[in-house]
Amino acid sequence: MDYMGSTATAQYTHFGRRPPHGTMLPSIANFDYRTGSAPPYSGLLTRSLSLPWRPSTFYRSARVEPNVSLSQSTADPLSGSNYLNNIDSIKVPPIFPSARQALYTRYTPKDWYNAQMTNYLASDKVRSAAERLRSDAIRLAREKDEQSFKNNAESSKRLGERINDIEFWKNELEKTKDKLKKKIDDVEFKRREVEKQLLETENPLRIAQENLYEREKRQGIDLVHDGVERELIREIDTIKLSQQKLRQMLERLNTQNALNRGILHELEKDSADKFRARVLDSAAHHIATTSRGINFYEGIEGVDNTFSTPESWAKFTEDNIRRAMSEMTQSDELLNSANKLMAGSNNDMWNQWNSVNVSLENRVQEEQTAKNKIQSHLEKVLQEIFDVEQNIEFLKKTIADKEAFLQVAQTRLETRTRRPNVESCRDPAMHRLIQEVHDLHAGISDLHGKLRQEENAVQHLLRTKSTLEQDLAIKNNSLFIDADKVMGIRRTFTMSSPERAVATNVSFSHPRGLISV
């Protein structure tokens, strides 16, 4: 409903019906405004609140009685020249004051009363809502004030507890660091002793390695990890396990000290981090609302750059201390192992040297026996090669004979294919010829298969002959290496050590005679 004056189009322009032909304007001559009743507003009030409105009472009850009927013209009276010619002939009835007053009446008393009641009710509702909001705001402000003081006190308490925790774990880290530094010095001293012992094993190691390198000159299948090889490896695991274990021990000592220094670095880093955290938390603990330098940091509560929880934080330092204690325990065990290894290395090397000599003598005898057997097998293979080659010639001749019969059968079939018309009959003779060709093909195929097998057998025999000849040459080479070179260089065994120096003579058998060592 328009409460102010407006130029909106009257309601009849939207909802009025088009007058019938012959009428243009309504007549007011037959309507009595004193006795006539206006149409009820019940159907218009709702619509008038949301749509442009002007009274339509006059237009609903009036009739149009023009002096000149528009139906007399076949053309549209409102278009073109017809409108201009007819507009002067139309007489509009006069509008009386009572009709003019009805035309410009906008609202009824009921509309006015409803509008006032609506304003009163809206005012009461808005005022009540504002009162409730004001009381809620005061209550909320008091609650948040109390909560702020409580939260600040709780935060200060938690920061104090956190500072105490940091101080406790920092002291534990300092104690562990002092113990670990002393252990690093002990491991370094023992490492120097092991390194010196390792240098003293070079002479016996050189002799054992020369034996091993000479046997590496063996060829083919004789490059086997036989008893001598195993005993030489054991000798290098005693001459050398005296050295290799010392070297391993040296590496373990270096590794252990690296681990010790690594965990020491972790402890120092953890201690420095805790010192820095304690400084920052102490500074945060002393910040109050009256402190200088406080400021707003918008969105800082949403920034989560944490890496741990209180449990994982304490576990991290506890794990570092536990790891440091574990490394110190490992260091003690490693020092004891190093002492035992250095004490027993000399005796182990001597015992293993004697075992190598016994194993070497047995190996020379085995190689001599193998050489004799290879020569016997080589003679048998040569005889078998001769026999198989004779059989191959026999099979080739047999295949040639069968191919002649195949030519005869296929020629007969080809000749019978030229029989004319109905004489080209699949008679028993043709069946027999076809069967003969199939049988000959199968027989020749079997003979070719057997021939290929015989040829393959010859190739296998030739390869076996070559293998036996090569193996025979390998055995001769191995006998030369083990009997002459290896036994020749094992003449002296010496080792200088703080405890004792050993030089001994040993005798053992040889295919060519007795050799003194």
Side-chain angles (χ1 to χ4, degrees):
M1 178 183 296
D2 297 331
Y3 292 99
M4 302 297 293
S6 68
T7 58
T9 308
Q11 182 176 346
Y12 65 83
T13 60
H14 295 282
F15 301 97
R17 297 181 179 178
R18 184 176 179 179
H21 292 290
T23 62
M24 285 296 292
L25 295 176
S27 176
I28 61 174
N30 298 328
F31 185 80
D32 188 358
Y33 292 98
R34 292 172 298 177
T35 60
S37 61
Y41 284 90
S42 59
L44 299 174
L45 287 178
T46 302
R47 181 171 56 190
S48 64
L49 292 175
S50 59
L51 296 175
W53 183 85
R54 285 182 181 177
S56 59
T57 305
F58 175 81
Y59 298 97
R60 289 188 176 183
S61 57
R63 289 188 301 109
V64 178
E65 295 180 355
N67 294 330
V68 179
S69 176
L70 297 179
S71 60
Q72 297 175 357
S73 175
T74 58
D76 189 356
L78 298 179
S79 62
S81 58
N82 293 328
Y83 175 77
L84 296 176
N85 295 330
N86 296 329
I87 192 170
D88 294 334
S89 61
I90 299 175
K91 294 182 180 180
V92 179
I95 300 178
F96 297 99
S98 59
R100 185 179 296 112
Q101 183 179 0
L103 177 64
Y104 291 99
T105 299
R106 294 177 178 270
Y107 306 104
T108 65
K110 185 177 180 181
D111 292 336
W112 178 85
Y113 177 76
N114 290 337
Q116 296 303 315
M117 294 303 296
T118 300
N119 290 337
Y120 300 155
L121 293 175
S123 175
D124 291 339
K125 184 177 180 181
V126 171
R127 181 171 49 78
S128 299
E131 289 177 356
R132 288 194 301 271
L133 180 62
R134 178 164 49 83
S135 61
D136 290 343
I138 294 173
R139 179 180 54 80
L140 180 64
R142 291 175 179 174
E143 290 178 356
K144 296 305 177 182
D145 192 30
E146 294 176 0
Q147 183 180 3
S148 298
F149 280 104
K150 181 179 179 180
N151 290 342
N152 182 263
E154 184 68 21
S155 297
S156 298
K157 178 183 176 181
R158 295 298 174 86
L159 283 172
E161 294 174 354
R162 180 64 174 179
I163 292 172
N164 292 333
D165 292 341
I166 293 174
E167 188 66 27
F168 169 77
W169 284 113
K170 188 177 184 301
N171 293 333
E172 293 296 321
L173 288 172
E174 292 297 330
K175 295 177 183 178
T176 307
K177 280 167 55 180
D178 295 337
K179 295 179 182 179
L180 188 58
K181 287 179 180 178
K182 184 177 181 301
K183 191 60 62 179
I184 289 174
D185 294 337
D186 294 339
V187 174
E188 181 63 23
F189 178 76
K190 182 58 65 177
R191 188 194 68 81
R192 293 193 185 98
E193 287 186 349
V194 172
E195 189 174 12
K196 181 180 178 181
Q197 182 76 19
L198 180 61
L199 293 175
E200 293 176 353
T201 60
E202 288 298 329
N203 287 334
L205 175 63
R206 181 182 57 81
I207 294 174
Q209 284 179 337
E210 286 180 0
N211 292 333
L212 191 60
Y213 292 157
E214 287 295 336
R215 299 194 87 244
E216 287 295 325
K217 295 178 182 178
R218 293 173 299 167
Q219 301 173 355
I221 193 62
D222 275 17
L223 277 171
V224 64
H225 290 286
D226 53 6
V228 178
E229 187 81 12
R230 288 190 295 270
E231 292 300 329
L232 280 172
I233 290 175
R234 287 193 187 99
E235 184 177 10
I236 294 177
D237 288 341
T238 50
I239 292 177
K240 190 176 178 182
L241 263 190
S242 299
Q243 187 179 52
Q244 184 177 353
K245 285 181 181 180
L246 288 173
R247 186 175 288 111
Q248 291 176 352
M249 180 59 64
L250 185 62
E251 292 177 357
R252 290 174 63 188
L253 289 171
N254 288 330
T255 302
Q256 185 61 49
N257 245 4
L259 292 174
N260 291 341
R261 292 189 181 95
I263 188 60
L264 179 62
H265 174 72
E266 293 295 329
L267 293 177
E268 290 174 347
K269 182 180 178 182
D270 195 4
S271 179
D273 290 344
K274 282 181 170 46
F275 175 78
R276 179 64 176 166
R278 184 184 62 182
V279 172
L280 293 175
D281 284 347
S282 296
H285 184 261
H286 291 90
I287 294 175
T289 56
T290 58
S291 300
R292 299 178 63 184
I294 61 175
N295 201 350
F296 290 107
Y297 297 92
E298 187 67 27
I300 190 64
E301 69 280 357
V303 177
D304 186 7
N305 60 347
T306 58
F307 294 95
S308 62
T309 62
E311 294 77 11
S312 63
W313 172 81
K315 186 176 183 300
F316 177 78
T317 303
E318 187 178 356
D319 289 344
N320 283 338
I321 295 175
R322 185 180 293 110
R323 181 183 166 194
M325 300 300 294
S326 176
E327 295 300 337
M328 286 189 284
T329 303
Q330 292 290 335
S331 298
D332 290 334
E333 294 177 358
L334 191 59
L335 291 174
N336 293 332
S337 299
N339 291 331
K340 292 179 181 179
L341 177 62
M342 293 172 65
S345 60
N346 290 331
N347 290 331
D348 294 338
M349 287 189 292
W350 166 253
N351 293 331
Q352 187 59 34
W353 181 84
N354 193 32
S355 298
V356 171
N357 290 339
V358 174
S359 179
L360 184 61
E361 181 181 359
N362 295 332
R363 182 60 179 171
V364 169
Q365 293 176 358
E366 290 176 357
E367 289 173 347
Q368 187 64 43
T369 302
K371 175 184 175 182
N372 295 334
K373 289 183 179 180
I374 288 173
Q375 290 176 341
S376 175
H377 281 282
L378 182 59
E379 293 176 358
K380 293 178 181 179
V381 168
L382 291 174
Q383 181 61 40
E384 186 63 25
I385 289 173
F386 176 78
D387 294 339
V388 173
E389 287 178 347
Q390 293 294 326
N391 195 37
I392 288 174
E393 294 299 327
F394 171 74
L395 288 175
K396 287 181 179 179
K397 184 177 181 303
T398 303
I399 290 171
D401 294 340
K402 297 298 180 290
E403 288 176 348
F405 286 105
L406 179 61
Q407 290 175 353
V408 171
Q410 288 180 344
T411 303
R412 286 176 176 177
L413 283 173
E414 193 278 333
T415 301
R416 299 190 86 233
T417 58
R418 294 194 293 271
R419 290 177 297 171
N421 299 326
V422 75
E423 294 301 324
S424 181
C425 177
R426 194 175 184 85
D427 52 11
M430 185 174 182
H431 284 292
R432 181 65 258 178
L433 286 172
I434 292 173
Q435 184 64 38
E436 182 182 1
V437 170
H438 289 320
D439 292 342
L440 288 172
H441 275 302
I444 293 173
S445 177
D446 292 340
L447 290 173
H448 275 294
K450 188 61 68 176
L451 178 61
R452 285 192 296 270
Q453 293 178 4
E454 293 286 349
E455 290 174 346
N456 291 335
V458 170
Q459 295 300 320
H460 286 302
L461 288 170
L462 291 175
R463 283 195 295 272
T464 302
K465 171 178 169 291
S466 176
T467 301
L468 291 175
E469 290 174 347
Q470 183 179 4
D471 198 13
L472 183 60
I474 288 172
K475 293 297 182 290
N476 290 329
N477 180 68
S478 298
L479 280 171
F480 173 73
I481 290 173
D482 289 340
D484 294 337
K485 290 191 173 183
V486 175
M487 289 183 180
I489 62 177
R490 294 183 64 84
R491 295 177 180 178
T492 305
F493 174 77
T494 59
M495 179 174 179
S496 298
S497 67
E499 291 80 7
R500 68 180 180 177
V502 178
T504 184
N505 291 328
V506 180
S507 298
F508 56 90
S509 61
H510 185 274
R512 300 180 183 178
L514 188 65
I515 294 179
S516 296
V517 178

